[in-house]
Amino acid sequence: MNRTWIASAAAEALGTGALVCIVVGSGIAASSLSDDVGVQLLANSFATALGLAVLIAALGPVSGAHLNPAVSLVDAVRGARPRTGRIRRAAVFVVAQLVGAVGGSVLANAMFDEPQGMSTTARDGFGVLMGEVVATAGLIVVILLATHHGAGRSVALWVAAYIGSAYWFTSSTSFANPAVTVGRMFTDTFAGISPVSALPFVLAQLAGAGIGVLIVTVLIAPDARVRTTAVASPSTSIT
């Protein structure tokens, strides 16, 4: 594995870990400061949107700042690199993202002296799962359209704004990320999700990603190449 592979994988692990740490940590902090669930969600969504924008802008030149297995899988399907390289890249990124996500949750628990353990918070029901489909489909559409229109570094703002709003307009509060979902299993706090609820969430997210790709396929001419990195692609290839 060359240095480019290592740097890209490290960026995905650290970035996803930081994202989960922001989600979980801000949820714990909000819960300790207010008993109002609306205020808690407002603080959680605001911190997540700001943190996500910074992470995408900072790590984009290194790995593309996917920070999300759904984005990496879409990249493997639609990216401009040779197919073999895209598949290898996605596999490495997904593993890195999952490892980072668990680490981010553990770190947030430790910072706030929360016991390490699995979440007991059930998040289920048809409406909630539909919310995850909508949230993830919308995220993929935003990323692909923003990148197609040449938004460059400002894609970070597009994505952050979308996730911040999707916290409120979706019934699931917009996890929209399989790695984040797995990471949030490892905290029994405001942002947690029980292992039983996590698998349906991930399946809904993957379905939403597929729907997002279909929507963009309709909106963009077939001969237009769409790159799926969240910001400008890294200057070096890892294919």
Side-chain angles (χ1 to χ4, degrees):
M1 181 176 289
N2 61 37
R3 290 187 62 184
T4 302
W5 276 93
I6 293 172
S8 296
E12 288 298 308
L14 290 172
T16 310
L19 176 59
V20 172
C21 191
I22 291 166
V23 173
V24 174
S26 63
I28 296 171
S31 297
S32 69
L33 295 171
S34 175
D35 293 326
D36 188 313
V37 177
V39 173
Q40 293 170 359
L41 185 61
L42 179 62
N44 193 213
S45 61
F46 184 67
T48 299
L50 289 179
L52 184 58
V54 171
L55 290 171
I56 293 174
L59 298 175
V62 181
S63 67
H66 293 184
L67 314 182
N68 186 334
V71 175
S72 296
L73 293 174
V74 170
D75 181 59
V77 173
R78 294 179 61 90
R81 296 175 176 81
R83 181 175 297 276
T84 301
R86 296 199 307 267
I87 293 173
R88 290 170 60 196
R89 183 174 190 256
V92 171
F93 277 16
V94 169
V95 172
Q97 291 155 359
L98 291 171
V99 171
V102 174
S105 195
V106 170
L107 177 58
N109 288 336
M111 285 196 298
F112 288 92
D113 293 321
E114 292 288 340
Q116 301 291 349
M118 305 302 288
S119 175
T120 58
T121 302
R123 300 176 186 265
D124 49 28
F126 178 77
V128 171
L129 294 177
M130 182 181 293
E132 273 304 281
V133 172
V134 171
T136 312
L139 174 63
I140 296 301
V141 169
V142 167
I143 292 172
L144 293 180
L145 289 182
T147 310
H148 175 72
H149 293 313
R153 292 292 185 89
S154 67
V155 177
L157 300 179
W158 290 45
V159 173
Y162 173 78
I163 290 297
S165 66
Y167 256 83
W168 291 90
F169 77 76
T170 64
S171 55
S172 64
T173 66
S174 184
F175 285 44
N177 186 325
V180 168
T181 303
V182 170
R184 289 169 69 165
M185 288 168 44
F186 290 84
T187 180
D188 197 16
T189 61
F190 177 81
I193 180 172
S194 70
V196 174
S197 299
L199 178 58
F201 258 57
V202 170
L203 294 176
Q205 290 156 1
L206 295 177
I211 292 171
V213 170
L214 291 176
I215 291 172
V216 172
T217 300
V218 172
L219 296 177
I220 297 177
D223 59 343
R225 296 295 297 176
V226 181
R227 294 162 58 194
T228 59
T229 49
V231 294
S233 291
S235 58
T236 52
S237 172
I238 64 171
T239 54

